[in-house]
Amino acid sequence: MFTRSYLAYKTQAAFIYRAGETEYTVTYEKLFEDALLLARAFKAKKITKGTKVMFVCDNRYEWIVTDLALLSLGAISIPRGSDTPALELDFILKHSEAEFLIVETQKLYERYEGVLKNQKAIFIVEAAKVHTLFDSLYSYNDLLKDRTISDEEIQAFIDQKEHLDAPDIFTLIYTSGTTGTPKGVILTHQNIMHNVTHMAPMIGLMEGETWLSILPSWHIFERSAEYLSLAYGCTTIYSTIKTFASDLEHYRPTLVATVPRLWESMYSKINQALEKKDPKKAKIFNKLVRISAAYNYHDRLRKNQLPRFYPLSKIEKFFLTCKASLACFFLSPLNAFAKKKLTLVQEKFGGRLRLAISGGGSLPEYLDEWIDALGIRIVNAYGMTECAPAIAGRGVLCDVFGTIGYAVPGTTLRIVNKSGGDVPIGEVGEIWVKGPQVTPGYYKAHEENAKTFSGDGFLKTGDLGKFTLGHELLITGRSKEIIVLANGENVDPSRIESTLSMLPFVTDAILVGHDKKGLGLLIVPDFDKLKDYVLEQYGEVVHSVEHLLENKPLTQKIKSKMNELLHPQKGFKPFEKLQNIHFLSEEFKPGEELTNTFKKKRHVIEKKYKELIDKLLH
C-alpha cells in the first residue's frame, strides 16, 4: 500500500505538521526516504521480521515514519502514548516480550529507566547524540548520520513487501483497560488491510483529500485513518486540542476523524461563546438549529430514512407520509432561512468539511441531531481495537439516520441473547462479530480468548445493540457497564449520562448505583457555567463547589431539574431517576479516569470514589 502510494503520489503532500512555530510539509517521496533510512538503521541493529518493538510516543511526524519503518521490516510494533505509567510499561514489556524499546524523548527515557531491563537496544526519537561505545542506547541522531540512498536500496525497500504475508502479526495493541488489566490485542496484516480496503467506499474517499488529525496516532482508530489517507494520496495534518478549532478554519479539511468527547466540547464552546457574546443571538441560533433539526426529521420520516423495527401497513405508511409531508411544507420556508444562516457555522469548520467521522465511543443522540442540523454529514462509526477497528458505520451509502448503519463488507453481525441465540429484529442483545478484520485473539491469554470467542468463531463484543428492519445497527449500551440495582432492575448508564450532559454546566458525569437501592450521579462541573446556571435559574450565588455542596436545598433543586430530563415520555423508566447527586472538585484526566480517546474507566472511578458513593447511596 505504502510503496504503491509513493510511486503514484511522489510530489504530493503526505503530512503537514508544526514543530514550534515552524510548519513543515512532507511529500510522499520524503516520507518514503525517511522510512527507508530508519528501517535501514533498525535492520543494522538486528530488528527483523517478527521482532517485537515497544514504541512509546505521542503524535508527531516521526511516529508515522517509525511505524512504516517497522512495518517494512515485518517487525511487530507495540505502541503506547507517553502518558503510560511506568508500572504499566513494565507489565507490557514483560508480557509482550518486547526486545527493543523506542521512546519519544530523553525525559521520557529517564522516567522509565528504573523499569528497563533486558532490552537489546533502546532508541530515543528526540535527543542529541547519546550513544557511547559500550551501551545500547541510541538517539535517532545517532542512527541517521548517513542519509545517502542508492537506487538499489530503494528497490530493495519496495521489494520487502514480498516477505510479508496476510496472517503475519502487524501490531500488538494493549487495550486502554476500561474494564481492568490491559490485554494485548493481536492484529494481522489481513485485519488492517481489510478495513483500509473497505472503509474507503464507505466514506466515499477520493484521492487528494485533506484530513485533520487530532486523536492519538497509536490508537487504532487514528492509525487506520492515517493508513487510509496514505493509501489514497491524501494529506494528513497533525493538529492538537488547543489548535483544533483554528486549524479547521486555517487548513479547511475535507475530513476529520473524531471521538464523541470532541463534539461535546465543540457543542459547549459554540453555545457558550454565543451566549456570552449576545444572549439574544444565542436564542436565535438555537431556534434555527431546532427548525433545521425538525425539518430534517420530517423529511427523513416521509422518505423512510429513520429506524424501523416493525413493518407498517399501507394505511399507516400513507398517513405517516402525509403528516410528514405537511410538516415539511410548513417548515420549508423557515428551514431554507435556517440552513442559509447555519452555513456561517460551517465556515467555523473550514467550509469544505465533507464528512466528520465519529468513532471510539457512542455518539449521543442530541449531538448526532445537532451536528446534522448544522449541515455537517457525520459518519457515526462503531468499532473496537479487536476489529482493527471498523465493525459498522453510517457511511455515504446509508441514509437511515439515528443508526450506526451497515456492517463493513465481509462482516457478519449477530445480536444474541444470554444463551447465544439470535434475538428478533428490534430486540436488544449482545453484538457478536465475525470477519477478516477480527483479531485472531489476545496475546498469551488462552482463558480470555475462550471467554471472548464463541465456538463458531464470533467475537463477543460486550456491547448491546439491536437491528432495524433494514439491518442497520443501533448501539444501546455496554453489557459490562449495566448497573444492577438492589431490586434487580438493570440500568444502562450511557443514555442517562448523555442526556444529562446536555446541561451547560456538565463537563462529565458518571452514573453509579450497582447493588444500591437507587442511582447517583457524580458530576464534573464547569464551575463558571454552573455558577451562571444557579444564578439564572434559582437567583442564588455560589462561590465554590464546596459551597454548593453545603447548600442541600439548592443541590436538591438541581437534582430535580435533572430528573425532569429523565421523563417517561423520553423513554426513561421510574427507577432511572436520580436518588442523589454529587459535584466533584477534580476533573477526569486521560491516562487516569479516562482512556486516550476520553472514554470513562468506570472501574477506576468507582474504586477511587467508593467511600463517597457509599455515603451518597446509603
Side-chain angles (χ1 to χ4, degrees):
M1 175 268 286
F2 175 49
T3 54
R4 187 172 63 247
S5 292
Y6 154 69
L7 293 169
Y9 310 114
K10 282 186 180 182
T11 59
Q12 290 178 214
F15 286 88
I16 296 174
Y17 69 97
R18 293 190 193 93
E21 297 299 315
T22 307
E23 180 183 284
Y24 297 90
T25 299
V26 179
T27 64
Y28 275 80
E29 185 170 34
K30 177 71 164 66
L31 175 63
F32 177 88
E33 290 171 354
D34 288 343
L36 186 159
L37 289 166
L38 191 56
R40 185 177 70 187
F42 284 157
K43 189 175 182 180
K45 301 304 175 191
K46 310 301 182 189
I47 294 177
T48 59
K49 185 175 181 178
T51 301
K52 298 190 192 77
V53 183
M54 181 89 195
F55 181 26
V56 185
C57 184
D58 292 329
N59 290 30
R60 58 188 299 152
Y61 170 63
E62 290 85 353
W63 197 100
I64 190 68
V65 172
T66 304
D67 190 42
L68 293 171
L70 294 173
L71 164 62
S72 72
L73 296 170
I76 301 168
S77 62
I78 308 166
R80 291 292 280 185
S82 67
D83 59 352
T84 303
L87 286 176
E88 195 167 294
L89 180 83
D90 185 41
F91 168 80
I92 296 171
L93 284 170
K94 289 173 181 174
H95 186 268
S96 67
E97 303 160 306
E99 300 171 74
F100 295 84
L101 171 68
I102 305 169
V103 295
E104 184 173 5
T105 61
Q106 177 88 27
K107 187 177 179 181
L108 196 58
Y109 166 72
E110 290 166 1
R111 195 172 90 194
Y112 293 141
E113 198 170 3
V115 300
L116 302 180
K117 299 170 186 174
N118 306 320
Q119 279 71 49
K120 291 181 179 178
I122 297 171
F123 309 103
I124 303 175
V125 175
E126 184 184 328
K129 293 179 180 180
V130 295
H131 179 63
T132 58
L133 188 58
F134 298 107
D135 70 19
S136 55
L137 180 67
Y138 303 86
S139 71
Y140 276 20
N141 280 320
D142 291 316
L143 296 178
L144 302 172
K145 296 173 188 173
D146 179 11
R147 298 191 65 88
T148 58
I149 303 172
S150 68
D151 291 340
E152 291 77 12
E153 285 178 311
I154 291 174
Q155 191 56 51
F157 188 71
I158 292 172
D159 292 342
Q160 280 177 191
K161 67 179 184 291
E162 304 303 328
H163 302 289
L164 304 176
D165 300 310
D168 290 342
I169 297 177
F170 184 100
T171 189
L172 264 181
I173 300 179
Y174 280 78
T175 58
S176 51
T178 56
T179 56
T181 305
K183 301 185 289 281
V185 179
I186 300 168
L187 293 178
T188 66
H189 286 260
Q190 174 184 276
N191 297 151
I192 300 289
M193 288 312 299
H194 181 79
N195 277 340
V196 170
T197 302
H198 291 287
M199 282 165 65
M202 289 181 74
I203 63 173
L205 187 62
M206 297 173 283
E207 290 186 2
E209 294 208 72
T210 305
W211 293 72
L212 192 63
S213 164
I214 189 173
L215 302 177
S217 289
W218 64 268
H219 193 278
I220 191 60
F221 178 36
E222 172 62 28
R223 202 170 170 187
S224 62
E226 291 186 25
Y227 295 152
L228 200 55
S229 178
L230 285 173
Y232 281 79
C234 301
T235 302
T236 298
I237 301 159
Y238 282 134
S239 183
T240 65
I241 289 177
K242 285 183 180 179
T243 63
F244 184 65
S246 59
D247 285 345
L248 280 168
E249 291 189 74
H250 177 68
Y251 291 108
R252 305 179 67 233
T254 54
L255 294 154
V256 292
T258 61
V259 291
R261 185 62 172 263
L262 193 64
W263 287 108
E264 287 172 6
S265 176
M266 296 284 276
Y267 173 86
S268 296
K269 283 180 180 175
I270 288 174
N271 282 296
Q272 185 183 9
L274 285 168
E275 188 68 41
K276 200 171 183 179
K277 189 175 180 181
D278 189 333
K280 286 184 180 178
K281 285 186 178 178
K283 286 181 180 178
I284 293 169
F285 170 75
N286 288 324
K287 184 69 175 176
L288 293 173
V289 169
R290 285 195 294 272
I291 290 167
S292 178
Y295 182 88
N296 290 349
Y297 170 80
H298 288 98
D299 187 43
R300 290 187 173 110
L301 192 59
R302 67 176 175 171
K303 293 176 180 175
N304 197 29
Q305 292 177 351
L306 291 175
R308 285 255 174 264
F309 303 104
Y310 57 89
L312 298 175
S313 68
K314 288 184 179 179
I315 294 175
E316 285 176 316
K317 280 183 185 176
F318 174 76
F319 280 110
L320 204 63
T321 304
C322 287
K323 185 180 177 182
S325 298
L326 198 62
C328 285
F329 175 77
F330 285 111
L331 283 170
S332 188
L334 292 171
N335 178 64
F337 177 76
K339 292 283 198 294
K340 185 178 179 181
K341 291 295 181 183
L342 290 172
T343 55
L344 298 173
V345 181
Q346 291 174 29
E347 290 299 320
K348 293 289 182 183
F349 293 87
R352 293 198 312 153
L353 192 61
R354 186 175 65 80
L355 284 179
I357 305 162
S358 179
S362 182
L363 188 68
E365 186 179 335
Y366 79 93
L367 276 179
D368 204 0
E369 292 175 354
W370 182 77
I371 298 162
D372 178 65
L374 295 181
I376 295 168
R377 178 69 186 258
I378 187 92
V379 175
N380 200 358
Y382 167 56
M384 56 196 303
T385 303
E386 289 84 346
C387 295
I391 296 174
R394 193 178 68 217
V396 294
L397 302 177
C398 179
D399 292 321
V400 182
F401 191 73
T403 72
I404 295 293
Y406 305 119
V408 171
T411 306
T412 303
L413 294 181
R414 292 178 62 202
I415 308 290
V416 304
N417 55 30
K418 290 181 180 178
S419 304
D422 293 301
V423 303
I425 294 294
E427 282 194 21
V428 174
E430 185 181 2
I431 302 166
W432 287 10
V433 58
K434 182 194 273 188
Q437 78 274 46
V438 177
T439 174
Y442 300 108
Y443 186 63
K444 291 174 22 181
H446 300 299
E447 288 185 15
E448 192 66 36
N449 288 332
K451 287 191 297 183
T452 305
F453 289 88
S454 67
D456 53 353
F458 277 84
L459 173 72
K460 303 173 184 178
T461 67
D463 293 316
L464 301 174
K466 57 185 177 180
F467 282 132
T468 68
L469 285 173
H471 222 67
E472 296 90 7
L473 178 67
L474 273 85
I475 307 295
T476 60
R478 182 149 180 82
S479 58
K480 290 181 181 178
E481 293 181 353
I482 294 296
I483 294 170
V484 183
L485 296 174
N487 62 4
E489 297 286 4
N490 290 349
V491 179
D492 173 19
S494 58
R495 187 160 169 260
I496 293 174
E497 289 165 359
S498 64
T499 298
L500 297 178
S501 66
M502 294 172 65
L503 290 166
F505 58 82
V506 178
T507 298
D508 217 330
I510 185 163
L511 196 71
V512 294
H514 193 68
D515 290 334
K516 305 292 185 184
K517 292 180 182 178
L519 297 171
L521 191 72
L522 303 184
I523 305 156
V524 177
D526 180 319
F527 185 69
D528 288 336
K529 293 181 190 175
L530 178 59
K531 193 164 59 173
D532 292 343
Y533 180 87
V534 168
L535 183 61
E536 184 182 326
Q537 295 288 322
Y538 310 113
E540 296 192 42
V541 177
V542 290
H543 303 292
S544 65
V545 169
E546 291 73 21
H547 181 216
L548 173 61
L549 292 172
E550 289 170 4
N551 190 336
K552 298 295 182 185
L554 181 56
T555 307
Q556 288 300 308
K557 287 177 184 177
I558 296 171
K559 184 194 79 173
S560 298
K561 182 67 177 178
M562 289 181 160
N563 279 330
E564 285 176 20
L565 296 174
L566 305 177
H567 198 276
Q569 287 183 348
K570 295 179 181 177
F572 292 102
K573 300 178 178 67
F575 59 80
E576 291 180 316
K577 298 280 188 182
L578 300 176
Q579 179 181 310
N580 216 336
I581 63 173
H582 184 88
F583 291 93
L584 300 174
S585 55
E586 294 180 8
E587 63 180 27
F588 298 152
K589 300 180 185 67
E592 294 181 26
E593 296 90 356
L594 302 174
T595 71
N596 286 85
T597 51
F598 306 105
K599 287 186 281 190
K600 292 182 278 270
K601 295 183 180 180
R602 292 184 182 274
H603 68 289
V604 171
I605 297 167
E606 287 170 2
K607 185 178 179 181
K608 180 176 179 178
Y609 293 105
K610 185 181 183 306
E611 192 176 329
L612 171 62
I613 294 167
D614 289 341
K615 287 180 181 177
L616 197 67
L617 302 171
H618 55 80

